[in-house]
Amino acid sequence: MKLRRYIPLGVVLVATALLWFNWNSWFGDLPEPDFQLSYSPERLFITTGEEGLQDRSFSWVSEGERPFTFTLVKDSLGHRYDPSHEAITTGGGTTHIYNVRLNNLSEGTYRYYISSEDASDTIWGDFKIYPDDGDINLIFIGDVQDKGESGSRAFFQEIHRRFPDMDGWLLVGDMIERPHNQWWDFFYHSMDGIAPSTAFIPTPGNHEYELGGLGSLGKRFVSTFPMPLNGNKSTNYFVDYPTVRIIALETNNLLWNLSESRKWLEQSIEENPTPFVIVMGHHGVFSVRKWRINPVMRYGIKPVLEEHQVDLMLQGHDHAYSRDGTPPDRPIYITMSSSAKHYPVGNPSNHTVSDSGQRYYSHIRITHDTLYFNTYREDHSLLDSFELPRKT
């Protein structure tokens, strides 16, 4: 009996010690080192718009405000666009971010040029708008958090080589370690052979936030990824492909706008015009780590997903892989990590499939009748696979 009295005190002491020793790594608001970007355009990203096949948004950064022109060429015909511009000042310096949003692009191969008054600063890239053939292919990437330029580059480049013609890459947050320029550089270095030609569908994680999720979203995120403007806030949105609606749900600080975000989520699911619906958010309904639970996701969002029989819930945050659910039951919950940092699986018996100790990624193929899901290990061997038929 006496021992039992001291158990709560012991728990408090252990939790306090963990916070004390890990505060800087978990929540520390470290100062951003001074930086200076190139005067030429760099860090080019493509983000999909509301219409997943036809809409594209482009962003790039520069050291200063310059009269850039974006020229899009298809079949030898060119169109010029003037980008929007935003100057974002953070602790280490100022980032000038430029955006161009393009809608209703027709099928085919495009080349674009980003140029200024100095022709030597021109950069260019190619991308494709794929046909509406009823066959959508996506790559799903979990947390990254590279801490150097070696990072995940080889891993991502090999994924791109194996799956070159994707309609989009789903990024479930924590792409960077902290919202500082150096971490954005590390992430782009890992993606620089992919980002200029591939449409990303991102949602932020807690590491895109100041104070590890306790502060505000890093100022660069929304301008780097100009997301569709169809949500109740800038980081809630959906993308429609012919066979699937993808709903990006901002899970950071969700408690403070839970009612509004639930209502928007329910409406986005109910008005889905496609055969399948996928919801993606950084924090999970189910956790891979022992004793970890997110009450807002478990008790605030899970009932919505189950009531509306969402097909997939894609999650990150825990640095391991798990699947909870077996077809034809739905929702099926997937936790994904593509990071070199790993967490052990706390209770493997609680999950349908689980694994840890490697980087992972998934290829998702969605036709009008079936969703095909394959998850691969870092050596590209198959870890998990299932087929989910369309709801009748």
Side-chain angles (χ1 to χ4, degrees):
M1 293 294 294
K2 289 184 179 180
L3 179 62
R4 192 174 298 175
R5 293 178 188 173
Y6 293 108
I7 289 177
L9 177 60
V11 171
V12 171
L13 290 174
V14 170
T16 302
L18 284 172
L19 284 172
W20 177 266
F21 288 110
N22 292 285
W23 182 265
N24 279 337
S25 61
W26 291 352
F27 308 114
D29 191 14
L30 300 179
E32 180 179 40
D34 292 344
F35 67 87
Q36 184 170 0
L37 296 168
S38 169
Y39 206 55
S40 302
E42 56 180 323
R43 281 203 322 237
L44 173 63
F45 287 100
I46 303 178
T47 309
T48 187
E50 181 172 330
E51 295 296 329
L53 284 183
Q54 299 172 307
D55 299 348
R56 296 291 182 268
S57 296
F58 302 79
S59 76
W60 64 93
V61 301
S62 174
E63 188 273 333
E65 182 175 0
R66 303 185 61 191
F68 286 115
T69 298
F70 183 94
T71 303
L72 188 67
V73 179
K74 179 176 182 263
D75 300 329
S76 301
L77 297 176
H79 298 273
R80 297 178 63 184
Y81 303 87
D82 293 325
S84 62
H85 163 261
E86 183 176 9
I88 296 175
T89 299
T90 53
T94 299
T95 305
H96 293 262
I97 304 184
Y98 299 81
N99 290 164
V100 170
R101 292 179 183 262
L102 302 177
N103 300 323
N104 301 314
L105 297 173
S106 59
E107 174 191 341
T109 299
Y110 292 80
R111 173 162 290 185
Y112 58 88
Y113 299 88
I114 299 170
S115 56
S116 68
E117 71 284 357
D118 185 348
S120 64
D121 288 340
T122 300
I123 63 171
W124 58 272
D126 297 315
F127 70 96
K128 294 180 180 179
I129 297 294
Y130 294 102
D132 179 3
D133 57 5
D135 193 345
I136 297 302
N137 287 271
L138 305 165
I139 292 293
F140 171 37
I141 297 294
D143 298 33
V144 180
Q145 293 176 242
D146 284 343
K147 295 186 178 181
E149 288 196 349
S150 57
S152 306
R153 182 182 175 86
F155 177 54
F156 291 144
Q157 300 296 330
E158 180 60 19
I159 295 172
H160 185 56
R161 189 189 70 80
R162 290 170 179 264
F163 299 96
D165 297 315
M166 295 293 99
D167 294 292
W169 278 40
L170 309 177
L171 307 177
V172 78
D174 281 6
M175 287 84 80
I176 57 176
E177 178 67 16
R178 278 186 171 82
H180 293 173
N181 182 74
Q182 65 190 40
W183 305 111
W184 280 107
D185 272 344
F186 293 154
F187 177 65
Y188 190 78
H189 181 77
S190 294
M191 290 287 189
D192 65 357
I194 304 164
S197 62
T198 302
F200 287 167
I201 304 172
T203 188
N206 53 291
H207 281 268
E208 276 81 35
Y209 273 69
E210 304 288 348
L211 295 172
L214 299 179
S216 58
L217 180 61
K219 297 177 181 178
R220 297 179 182 89
F221 189 89
V222 172
S223 295
T224 296
F225 300 117
M227 295 161 279
L229 304 174
N230 51 24
N232 64 304
K233 52 190 289 188
S234 62
T235 46
N236 281 346
Y237 65 94
F238 60 79
V239 173
D240 284 341
Y241 290 97
T243 61
V244 62
R245 168 169 283 188
I246 299 167
I247 302 173
L249 176 68
E250 163 74 273
T251 63
N252 296 279
N253 302 323
L254 183 57
L255 178 62
W256 313 122
N257 56 75
L258 179 60
S259 177
E260 183 182 356
S261 289
R262 270 178 56 112
K263 182 179 179 180
W264 171 80
L265 176 62
E266 288 187 292
Q267 182 179 350
S268 299
I269 297 170
E270 291 168 355
E271 296 178 355
N272 171 34
T274 72
F276 291 90
V277 59
I278 295 172
V279 177
M280 57 183 284
H282 181 67
H283 297 88
V285 170
F286 297 105
S287 178
V288 176
R289 300 191 74 178
K290 198 171 186 177
W291 311 119
R292 173 179 275 184
I293 182 174
N294 187 308
V296 179
M297 293 298 295
R298 180 73 63 88
Y299 304 112
I301 299 301
K302 180 173 175 280
V304 175
L305 305 177
E306 294 188 343
E307 178 185 351
H308 294 279
Q309 292 289 284
V310 164
D311 297 295
L312 295 182
M313 175 67 200
L314 304 181
Q315 313 162 144
H317 197 52
D318 291 341
H319 290 222
Y321 175 80
S322 71
R323 167 162 63 96
D324 294 278
T326 302
D329 296 337
R330 33 175 66 84
I332 292 179
Y333 301 89
I334 304 291
T335 298
M336 176 66 65
S337 173
S338 305
S339 175
K341 181 171 72 174
H342 311 129
Y343 298 159
V345 178
N347 294 295
S349 60
N350 289 352
H351 307 285
T352 310
V353 179
S354 63
D355 198 53
S356 182
Q358 296 192 44
R359 307 173 198 252
Y360 307 92
Y361 68 97
S362 296
H363 171 229
I364 311 171
R365 178 181 171 228
I366 310 110
T367 69
H368 285 287
D369 299 315
T370 308
L371 185 152
Y372 303 88
F373 194 96
N374 294 301
T375 295
Y376 299 90
R377 301 179 182 89
E378 190 168 1
D379 64 1
H380 309 286
S381 61
L382 185 65
L383 167 64
D384 187 22
S385 181
F386 62 88
E387 297 179 10
L388 186 65
R390 181 177 181 172
K391 286 180 289 191
T392 56

